[in-house]
Amino acid sequence: MTLDMSPAMTRELLLALLDEVPARVVLFDAEQRYLYANRATLEFLHLAPDQLIGRTVAEVRGAEMAARNVPVFQQVLAGTPSVWEGWTEYPGVGRRYTEERLQRFGDRHVLGYARDLTEFKLQATEAQRAETLKAAIVDNALAALVTTDAKGHVVAFNPAAEAMFRCTRSEAVGRSVAEVMIPPRLRPAHQAGMERMAIGGPPRVMGKRLEMQAQRADGSEFPIEMVLWRTDAEGAVFYTASINDLSERRRAEETIERQREALRQSEKLTAMGSLLAGVAHELNNPLAIVMGRASLLQEKCADTELALDATRIHEAAERCGRIVRTFLNMARSKASERAPVQMNELVRAATELLSYGLRSHGIALELVLEGQLPSVHADADQLGQILLNLIVNAQQALAQAPAPRRLRIVSGVEQRRAEREPRVWVRVIDNGPGVPAALRDTVFEPFFTTKPESLGTGLGLAVSRSLAREHGGELRIEDGPEGGACFRLSLPISGEAQPEPLPTAPAPLEEGPRTRLLVVDDEPEIADLMRAFLEGAGHEVATAESGAVALALLQEARFDAVVSDLRMPDLDGAGLHRALRQSHPELAKRLLFVTGDTLSPGARSFLEETGCACLDKPFTKADLLTAVQGLLADRND
């Protein structure tokens, strides 16, 4: 139903409607002159009608805007509408983000519509910035972050999770979290928990710090600490787990516990040793009486058979005396005293001390000792301790083996081609279970033991190897002839390590421009030491106490090579290497890391991946100069 209105009423109604429209509406003629503007336009431009109507775009918004509008107006007047969105400057208003549409009205007029989307755009930009920040935090988090949907399918898997579970994000997303990271034996409990929460049951693990076992992609299990929380987003339910690998912590705890147990055992052994040493010391008096009386009896006996019995008593008492003296020397705490020592005598004394234990375990002992061994300048008690440790270890290993049980001790002398003096060696060989190849280096580590808890502390072999090396010798494992263990002790007769040949000094650099080196180390004394070494060789050196300071110096000056510590606060060596690859790729190839941390898996992996040169601490001046000259070689080629 419509009402008949006069043209004047119709025009008045149309203008009223246009004034209520929130969008800006403008009518231009072909010369870009404003013929009409609704209320929204006037309010946006902060102008009264007489300040806008009748004026051109050049007068209101500037000649530059009018010039840009010329081809647009030509296009619109030809019948093709124009749509544009973006940031633009308005005099008196400022920079705004607008959406504009121009279309032909009649033959010579252009009708324009515009919306101000600035606030919406700013909100979207802020939301995008927040999302980017969150993504950066998640991607760089040290903890593994794994998010699943309500059905337990992985929807997010950050880089830390990829490294921890050895599974890429593309391999994990979409799969069941149980399949990705939960050991098979624990999956039924996980599935039961998911089903319970799906029907509204109470969450038993939500928000709690839990320790459990997880599984890597290769099937290996490892301990983790996990915190789980729930997120509701747009009507959907998600579960996120923050996970830390506890493997290192558990190993550290086990090591500490072994050390505590070793200390307890050490205290117990110390107390027992003090007690037994006192008892042994008291035995010397009755032993002296027995030996003296046996000698007198020998002199008085005319009966040959009775004199032979007295001799046997005297010899047995002497043997007891030797055992007591050996025990006292082992138990007595005293400074190292070196003197000429016959290894064969030490072997006989050790086997004599342990003869009862060997016989009681059914172990047949065979001594194959070379007759003319040169004396070794050594501490007899320390070498005796090594032999006792080796023989006791063999006895304990053979006690668990089936008969026949055999222990063979062989001695000899050798002259190595590269050494200037002979070495005396002793092998302790048994036919027991032996030492697996994978453990041949590990058995010499402190507190490592394959024995039951009541039989050892894991210190015997570590102490024995240390004592052997103090005498310039070596203790190692060899293949036994009968599949058992064979420990070989070798010692130079001087009891001193062979002097290493002096390092050859690097050839002097050819005359030319002085090389400029940057030394980076957070220990000032180390940095100063390297600076002195390098400046003494003719290099020009600057120092930096961190990777960040080094990068700042690299912006200000040219350097031919960089010598850096690997472990530093602020920006470490790995971070410095990454920065150099981006900003100074050629210098990244002439980067020498000086570190005492090459044994850690992280450092070893980084050095292998990058191929960077490395020099272990402590180092000599010759070591450093040789390494630096190697860095500079490709530059001079």
Side-chain angles (χ1 to χ4, degrees):
M1 178 179 178
T2 60
L3 296 175
D4 293 331
M5 294 186 295
S6 65
M9 291 180 61
T10 302
R11 182 175 182 278
E12 184 178 351
L13 176 60
L14 178 60
L15 293 175
L17 289 174
L18 289 176
D19 278 342
E20 296 302 323
V21 173
R24 305 197 303 275
V25 181
V26 180
L27 182 65
F28 300 96
D29 62 15
E31 286 72 34
Q32 299 188 39
R33 193 180 313 278
Y34 288 91
L35 301 179
Y36 169 79
N38 71 341
R39 181 186 302 156
T41 302
L42 296 172
E43 291 176 352
F44 177 78
L45 297 175
H46 306 298
L47 297 174
D50 58 353
Q51 294 175 311
L52 183 64
I53 305 303
R55 301 177 67 189
T56 64
V57 170
E59 294 172 321
V60 175
R61 298 188 60 186
E64 184 179 350
M65 176 59 70
R68 290 206 300 265
N69 277 351
V70 170
V72 178
F73 269 55
Q74 291 174 352
Q75 167 192 322
V76 171
L77 290 172
T80 303
S82 171
V83 179
W84 179 84
E85 180 179 325
W87 291 96
T88 186
E89 190 76 26
Y90 290 91
V93 178
R95 185 173 173 81
R96 307 296 291 178
Y97 190 90
T98 61
E99 178 186 50
E100 298 179 357
R101 177 181 175 86
L102 299 176
Q103 65 182 52
R104 188 176 68 183
F105 183 74
D107 293 332
R108 300 288 297 166
H109 297 86
V110 174
L111 187 61
Y113 310 90
R115 291 193 302 162
D116 185 0
L117 303 179
T118 304
E119 299 304 323
F120 174 79
K121 183 65 176 179
L122 291 176
Q123 291 177 0
T125 302
E126 186 63 31
Q128 184 179 10
R129 186 181 295 113
E131 191 64 29
T132 302
L133 178 60
K134 291 177 183 177
I137 293 172
V138 170
D139 287 347
N140 291 280
L142 296 178
L145 298 175
V146 180
T147 300
T148 71
D149 59 19
K151 294 183 179 180
H153 296 108
V154 177
V155 298
F157 205 72
N158 76 336
E162 292 181 311
M164 184 179 297
F165 293 99
R166 299 172 187 171
C167 174
T168 65
R169 183 181 183 279
S170 59
E171 293 171 336
V173 171
R175 293 169 59 194
S176 166
V177 69
E179 182 183 353
V180 172
M181 55 181 281
I182 300 178
R185 70 180 189 280
L186 302 179
R187 291 174 187 173
H190 165 76
Q191 187 60 35
M194 295 291 293
E195 292 173 356
R196 184 181 65 255
M197 288 191 292
I199 60 175
R204 297 175 182 173
V205 299
M206 210 68 64
K208 298 179 180 178
R209 194 177 295 272
L210 304 172
E211 293 187 6
M212 61 185 66
Q213 290 293 112
Q215 178 177 278
R216 295 188 177 92
D218 60 5
S220 60
E221 292 189 17
F222 65 105
I224 63 170
E225 180 183 67
M226 182 185 75
V227 177
L228 184 68
W229 67 89
R230 168 176 168 157
T231 303
D232 295 320
E234 299 180 355
V237 175
F238 298 93
Y239 298 99
T240 301
S242 175
I243 304 167
N244 289 308
D245 188 344
L246 297 182
S247 300
E248 289 296 331
R249 186 194 301 177
R250 291 284 175 83
R251 281 193 286 268
E253 290 173 352
E254 290 171 1
T255 300
I256 291 172
E257 183 56 34
R258 286 199 302 270
Q259 291 172 345
R260 286 175 178 166
E261 181 59 28
L263 288 174
R264 287 193 289 267
Q265 291 289 337
S266 177
E267 292 174 357
K268 186 189 302 183
L269 291 174
T270 299
M272 290 292 293
S274 298
L275 175 62
L276 293 177
V279 172
H281 188 271
E282 291 300 319
L283 287 175
N284 281 329
N285 288 333
L287 280 174
I289 295 173
V290 171
M291 292 175 62
R293 290 297 177 182
S295 297
L296 291 175
L297 187 59
Q298 283 178 289
E299 295 174 1
K300 294 178 180 179
C301 286
D303 188 337
T304 305
E305 187 173 348
L306 190 59
L308 183 59
D309 287 340
T311 300
R312 288 173 180 169
I313 293 172
H314 187 273
E315 290 176 350
E318 279 189 334
R319 181 183 175 194
C320 289
R322 289 195 301 271
I323 292 174
V324 170
R325 284 193 298 274
T326 301
F327 186 84
L328 284 175
N329 289 335
M330 292 293 298
R332 187 182 297 120
S333 175
K334 63 183 184 67
S336 176
E337 296 179 0
R338 298 202 178 192
V341 175
Q342 273 291 331
M343 287 297 294
N344 287 346
E345 292 180 4
L346 292 181
V347 170
R348 292 189 184 95
T351 54
E352 200 167 53
L353 181 64
L354 299 173
S355 60
Y356 173 76
L358 296 174
R359 288 196 307 274
S360 64
H361 285 89
I363 299 171
L365 173 65
E366 180 185 4
L367 298 182
V368 184
L369 308 179
E370 186 166 322
Q372 300 297 323
L373 286 183
S375 297
V376 177
H377 189 71
D379 185 298
D381 293 340
Q382 291 181 348
L383 297 188
Q385 183 178 351
I386 297 175
L387 293 170
L388 284 172
N389 283 336
L390 296 180
I391 297 171
V392 169
N393 283 349
Q395 174 189 318
Q396 293 173 342
L398 289 169
Q400 310 299 320
R405 305 182 182 98
R406 291 185 291 274
L407 175 61
R408 191 165 180 253
I409 303 179
V410 186
S411 68
V413 64
E414 63 184 357
Q415 176 72 57
R416 296 180 180 177
R417 181 178 301 175
E419 295 181 346
R420 59 179 173 78
E421 62 177 341
R423 280 178 169 252
V424 171
W425 56 264
V426 175
R427 284 187 174 94
V428 179
I429 309 166
D430 65 65
N431 67 333
V435 179
L439 298 180
R440 290 193 174 183
D441 289 328
T442 311
V443 293
F444 290 104
E445 295 179 1
F447 304 108
F448 178 86
T449 179
T450 58
K451 302 175 187 177
E453 184 176 346
S454 59
L455 290 183
T457 62
L459 288 173
L461 288 177
V463 171
S464 296
R465 172 175 272 187
S466 176
L467 292 175
R469 289 177 173 175
E470 285 180 12
H471 286 79
E474 185 56 66
L475 176 63
R476 66 172 186 263
I477 304 178
E478 296 179 340
D479 293 325
E482 298 182 75
C486 175
F487 285 86
R488 186 180 192 273
L489 170 67
S490 65
L491 300 163
I493 59 174
S494 66
E496 301 291 342
Q498 296 293 310
E500 296 182 2
L502 294 176
T504 304
L509 295 175
E510 297 179 1
E511 291 296 329
R514 296 181 70 192
T515 52
R516 303 186 68 186
L517 304 177
L518 177 59
V519 172
V520 189
D521 201 302
D522 61 316
E523 290 288 344
E525 293 183 3
I526 297 294
D528 289 343
L529 176 64
M530 288 193 285
R531 181 173 192 162
F533 282 170
L534 296 169
E535 287 181 342
H539 299 289
E540 185 177 339
V541 183
T543 60
E545 63 269 22
S546 71
V549 175
L551 291 178
L553 288 176
L554 288 168
Q555 299 298 322
E556 303 294 333
R558 175 193 63 80
F559 292 95
D560 298 298
V562 177
V563 181
S564 174
D565 192 7
L566 187 57
R567 291 283 176 256
M568 297 180 293
D570 187 11
L571 182 68
D572 63 3
L576 177 60
H577 180 263
R578 289 192 294 269
L580 288 178
R581 282 196 306 178
Q582 294 181 357
S583 59
H584 301 78
E586 288 303 316
L587 198 55
K589 299 175 184 178
R590 296 193 295 275
L591 177 59
L592 170 67
F593 285 112
V594 180
T595 180
D597 189 34
T598 54
L599 291 181
S600 73
R604 187 166 58 247
S605 173
F606 167 75
L607 292 171
E608 289 174 355
E609 290 175 5
T610 59
C612 287
C614 178
L615 180 62
D616 290 342
K617 295 178 181 177
F619 52 85
T620 66
K621 179 179 180 180
D623 294 335
L624 179 61
L625 296 181
T626 301
V628 169
Q629 188 167 340
L631 281 185
L632 299 172
D634 64 330
R635 186 203 61 154
N636 297 325
D637 290 343

